Amino acid sequence: MKNTTTVKKQQIYDEYQEYLKELLKKSIAKNPVESLYNTLQVSGMHYGHWDPADEMYDFFDDFNKLLASESKKNPSSKRVYRIGLLMYSHALEMALPWSFLANLLHILCGRPYNVSPFLDLARRKKGSLHSIPPSTKQKIGRVIELAKEAKEDELIKIINDFHSDKIRNSFYHSDYCLTDSEFRYSDGGIASSLPLEKVQELITKCFAFYEAFFNVHGWSKSFYKAVKSYHKWPNYELFEILKNEKEVYGFKVHFSNGQVAKFTRETDKVEAINLSFDDDGSINFFVGNLDKLTKQWMLNGKPFED
């Protein structure tokens, strides 16, 4: 794989990172609470190592080292392209970026965070309780639809800069051949080819996008860490942002009757207590005894004072 200049790679990354950060800022300005839910990727609870996003960090770390090592030996070798295409295809399959972007666009369009933004795209198997999950192509298609609705044409351009479902699909299904100058594939249809320079461009832009995305996602966690911890809601609920030394990791909602709803996302566990998800995927809470609600913001059984 011929080296794209460091300057060009950095330029692409800077462009993507600047846009994604501004997009996230718009989402936060539109609805800071729903945007926090999106940053935390609020979901059901689980214990142990069940978060694929954590695994992806390790995957990219391992394969970046392998790619760098092989590139030093022979940057134009087929092995380097195969490693790059494996990382490219694997990256496109990641759930977090597409779920995050879909919800960010939902928020910009005035809708709440959706715990399963692609659930309606799943197909039920005949005679089975199981369903076929939406494909990567369907998820990206939904994000593009939402970007059109939100009038975020730049996001559509960025996605189209690096996304090729034909390349991803043909590589993952071993329906391709590499020559010294081309990536040849049929993808179940008419045989086609793509110059390796174009393949390199797709991979470079894909890596730039994902690096920018994860940095911006990390920035959002740091942003909420800097926000004050307690916020009074109109109906005497007290919203608490939970933070550690590095970033935000969850929230609590304290109700005036002493009930507490809580969500936390940590490496070894995700806890969701007294949370419920409505039919539209939005977040709701189990408030407890309604007769014991008072017109007083409470924290740990005591009246809250700023």
Side-chain angles (χ1 to χ4, degrees):
M1 184 181 293
K2 297 177 183 177
N3 287 327
T4 304
T5 64
T6 303
V7 173
K8 184 177 180 181
K9 287 181 181 178
Q10 188 64 41
Q11 183 180 0
I12 295 169
Y13 164 79
D14 289 343
E15 175 189 333
Y16 291 173
Q17 197 261 358
E18 180 180 0
Y19 172 75
L20 290 174
K21 191 171 183 179
E22 288 304 312
L23 191 65
L24 179 56
K25 285 181 178 179
K26 284 198 284 186
S27 168
I28 293 171
K30 181 84 173 182
N31 194 320
V33 173
E34 298 292 339
S35 293
L36 174 60
Y37 296 160
N38 194 23
T39 289
L40 293 169
Q41 288 291 286
V42 174
S43 65
M45 61 196 303
H46 58 73
Y47 291 90
H49 184 40
W50 283 96
D51 192 343
D54 289 331
E55 184 64 29
M56 286 305 302
Y57 284 111
D58 292 339
F59 170 85
F60 277 109
D61 184 53
D62 288 343
F63 275 83
N64 272 326
K65 291 175 182 176
L66 179 60
L67 184 60
S69 174
E70 292 299 324
S71 295
K72 286 181 181 178
K73 297 175 186 176
N74 183 357
S76 298
S77 72
K78 292 181 182 179
R79 178 179 294 178
V80 171
Y81 277 100
R82 290 188 185 105
I83 295 170
L85 283 164
L86 176 62
M87 295 174 68
Y88 172 84
S89 302
H90 214 61
L92 289 174
E93 295 282 347
M94 289 184 63
L96 172 60
W98 304 119
S99 176
F100 184 90
L101 288 172
N103 269 308
L104 187 155
L105 294 164
H106 272 301
I107 293 166
L108 289 180
C109 292
R111 293 187 288 272
Y113 170 82
N114 187 328
V115 68
S116 299
F118 306 115
L119 182 62
D120 62 304
L121 297 176
R123 292 177 289 126
R124 180 62 58 85
K125 292 181 179 179
K126 284 187 177 181
S128 172
L129 295 176
H130 300 289
S131 60
I132 301 172
S135 66
T136 295
K137 183 178 180 180
Q138 287 177 299
K139 291 179 182 179
I140 294 176
R142 171 60 58 81
V143 170
I144 288 175
E145 288 175 7
L146 291 168
K148 288 178 181 177
E149 182 183 354
K151 296 181 172 55
E152 291 294 340
D153 294 338
E154 182 63 21
L155 180 58
I156 299 171
K157 176 185 177 299
I158 288 174
I159 293 171
N160 289 334
D161 272 350
F162 68 84
H163 173 240
S164 171
D165 194 66
K166 289 186 176 181
I167 297 297
R168 180 203 61 80
N169 198 53
S170 60
F171 181 81
Y172 256 6
H173 290 88
S174 300
D175 187 20
Y176 74 96
C177 293
L178 280 176
T179 72
D180 290 337
S181 60
E182 290 183 330
F183 178 91
R184 296 176 177 175
Y185 63 98
S186 64
D187 193 30
I190 299 174
S192 304
S193 65
L194 202 65
L196 290 184
E197 288 80 4
K198 179 61 177 177
V199 173
Q200 177 186 338
E201 181 183 341
L202 289 172
I203 293 172
T204 298
K205 289 183 175 180
C206 180
F207 289 1
F209 172 81
Y210 279 91
E211 183 179 355
F213 171 81
F214 282 114
N215 282 341
V216 169
H217 186 234
W219 174 86
S220 70
K221 294 179 182 180
S222 299
F223 169 84
Y224 280 105
K225 181 181 183 297
V227 173
K228 69 176 184 177
S229 296
Y230 296 99
H231 303 263
K232 292 179 177 178
W233 283 1
N235 293 322
Y236 300 98
E237 304 105 338
L238 185 65
F239 187 72
E240 178 184 1
I241 298 175
L242 303 176
K243 315 165 186 178
N244 55 30
E245 297 80 6
K246 182 181 177 183
E247 60 193 16
V248 64
Y249 71 94
F251 65 85
K252 288 182 179 180
V253 182
H254 302 266
F255 298 96
S256 60
N257 60 0
Q259 180 90 325
V260 177
K262 173 185 175 183
F263 178 84
T264 59
R265 179 175 293 279
E266 300 174 86
T267 302
D268 60 341
K269 63 182 177 180
V270 173
E271 290 190 326
I273 299 171
N274 289 329
L275 266 66
S276 65
F277 305 113
D278 290 341
D279 291 341
D280 64 355
S282 60
I283 296 171
N284 213 329
F285 305 103
F286 294 110
V287 179
N289 190 336
L290 299 180
D291 293 333
K292 292 188 176 181
L293 292 172
T294 66
K295 293 184 177 182
Q296 174 71 58
W297 288 281
M298 302 291 289
L299 177 64
N300 300 327
K302 298 179 181 179
F304 173 77
E305 297 181 3
D306 289 309

